[in-house]
Short mmCIF file of all heavy atoms in Angstrom, two decimals:
data_model
loop_
_atom_site.label_atom_id
_atom_site.label_comp_id
_atom_site.label_asym_id
_atom_site.label_seq_id
_atom_site.Cartn_x
_atom_site.Cartn_y
_atom_site.Cartn_z
N LEU A 78 -10.83 9.51 89.97
CA LEU A 78 -10.51 8.09 89.47
C LEU A 78 -10.44 8.07 87.92
O LEU A 78 -9.67 7.16 87.37
CB LEU A 78 -11.40 7.23 90.04
CG LEU A 78 -11.37 6.87 91.47
CD1 LEU A 78 -12.49 5.79 91.91
CD2 LEU A 78 -9.99 6.24 91.75
N GLY A 79 -11.14 8.94 87.30
CA GLY A 79 -11.06 8.95 85.80
C GLY A 79 -9.57 9.31 85.41
O GLY A 79 -9.07 8.74 84.39
N ALA A 80 -8.91 10.16 86.07
CA ALA A 80 -7.52 10.37 85.79
C ALA A 80 -6.54 9.10 85.96
O ALA A 80 -5.69 8.91 85.20
CB ALA A 80 -7.02 11.59 86.58
N VAL A 81 -6.91 8.43 87.10
CA VAL A 81 -6.16 7.21 87.24
C VAL A 81 -6.46 6.27 86.22
O VAL A 81 -5.51 5.46 85.65
CB VAL A 81 -6.51 6.51 88.71
CG1 VAL A 81 -5.74 5.33 88.91
CG2 VAL A 81 -6.25 7.47 89.80
N ARG A 82 -7.65 6.09 85.77
CA ARG A 82 -8.07 5.22 84.63
C ARG A 82 -7.28 5.60 83.33
O ARG A 82 -6.89 4.77 82.57
CB ARG A 82 -9.52 5.21 84.35
CG ARG A 82 -10.38 4.43 85.47
CD ARG A 82 -11.76 4.38 85.06
NE ARG A 82 -12.56 4.07 86.11
CZ ARG A 82 -13.19 4.87 86.99
NH1 ARG A 82 -13.19 6.23 86.62
NH2 ARG A 82 -13.78 4.51 88.00
N ARG A 83 -7.10 6.93 83.13
CA ARG A 83 -6.46 7.35 81.87
C ARG A 83 -4.96 6.88 81.92
O ARG A 83 -4.39 6.52 80.95
CB ARG A 83 -6.61 8.83 81.66
CG ARG A 83 -7.99 9.28 81.22
CD ARG A 83 -8.09 10.72 80.81
NE ARG A 83 -7.90 11.66 81.99
CZ ARG A 83 -8.82 11.97 82.74
NH1 ARG A 83 -10.08 11.54 82.68
NH2 ARG A 83 -8.56 12.83 83.75
N ILE A 84 -4.39 7.01 83.09
CA ILE A 84 -3.05 6.63 83.26
C ILE A 84 -2.88 5.12 83.17
O ILE A 84 -1.91 4.65 82.51
CB ILE A 84 -2.50 7.15 84.69
CG1 ILE A 84 -2.17 8.60 84.62
CG2 ILE A 84 -1.14 6.42 85.02
CD1 ILE A 84 -1.60 9.26 85.75
N GLU A 85 -3.77 4.49 83.73
CA GLU A 85 -3.86 2.92 83.48
C GLU A 85 -3.90 2.54 82.02
O GLU A 85 -3.10 1.75 81.58
CB GLU A 85 -5.05 2.31 84.30
CG GLU A 85 -5.05 0.84 84.27
CD GLU A 85 -5.91 0.25 83.19
OE1 GLU A 85 -6.67 0.93 82.63
OE2 GLU A 85 -5.59 -0.95 82.81
N ARG A 86 -4.66 3.27 81.28
CA ARG A 86 -4.73 3.01 79.83
C ARG A 86 -3.47 3.32 79.10
O ARG A 86 -3.00 2.53 78.24
CB ARG A 86 -5.96 3.76 79.25
CG ARG A 86 -6.02 3.60 77.78
CD ARG A 86 -6.71 2.31 77.44
NE ARG A 86 -6.84 2.24 75.98
CZ ARG A 86 -6.72 1.16 75.26
NH1 ARG A 86 -6.30 0.03 75.88
NH2 ARG A 86 -6.84 1.12 73.93
N GLN A 87 -2.88 4.44 79.53
CA GLN A 87 -1.56 4.84 78.91
C GLN A 87 -0.48 3.83 79.18
O GLN A 87 0.30 3.51 78.35
CB GLN A 87 -1.24 6.28 79.30
CG GLN A 87 0.10 6.80 78.69
CD GLN A 87 -0.09 6.98 77.22
OE1 GLN A 87 -1.11 7.43 76.68
NE2 GLN A 87 0.97 6.53 76.45
N LEU A 88 -0.47 3.38 80.42
CA LEU A 88 0.55 2.36 80.88
C LEU A 88 0.33 0.98 80.05
O LEU A 88 1.26 0.45 79.61
CB LEU A 88 0.39 2.06 82.33
CG LEU A 88 1.05 3.20 83.25
CD1 LEU A 88 0.64 2.98 84.69
CD2 LEU A 88 2.65 3.21 83.14
N HIS A 89 -1.02 0.62 79.99
CA HIS A 89 -1.33 -0.59 79.13
C HIS A 89 -0.66 -0.48 77.76
O HIS A 89 -0.06 -1.48 77.32
CB HIS A 89 -2.75 -0.74 79.08
CG HIS A 89 -3.28 -1.91 78.32
ND1 HIS A 89 -2.98 -3.23 78.63
CD2 HIS A 89 -3.73 -2.03 77.02
CE1 HIS A 89 -3.47 -3.98 77.76
NE2 HIS A 89 -3.85 -3.29 76.70
N LEU A 90 -0.95 0.64 77.09
CA LEU A 90 -0.48 0.80 75.73
C LEU A 90 1.03 0.84 75.75
O LEU A 90 1.76 0.28 74.79
CB LEU A 90 -0.92 2.06 75.07
CG LEU A 90 -2.45 2.10 74.89
CD1 LEU A 90 -3.01 3.43 74.49
CD2 LEU A 90 -2.85 0.88 73.88
#
Side-chain angles (χ1 to χ4, degrees):
L78 287 177
V81 178
R82 284 187 202 96
R83 286 189 296 276
I84 287 182
E85 185 268 339
R86 177 72 178 144
Q87 184 63 42
L88 285 166
H89 174 73
L90 296 172

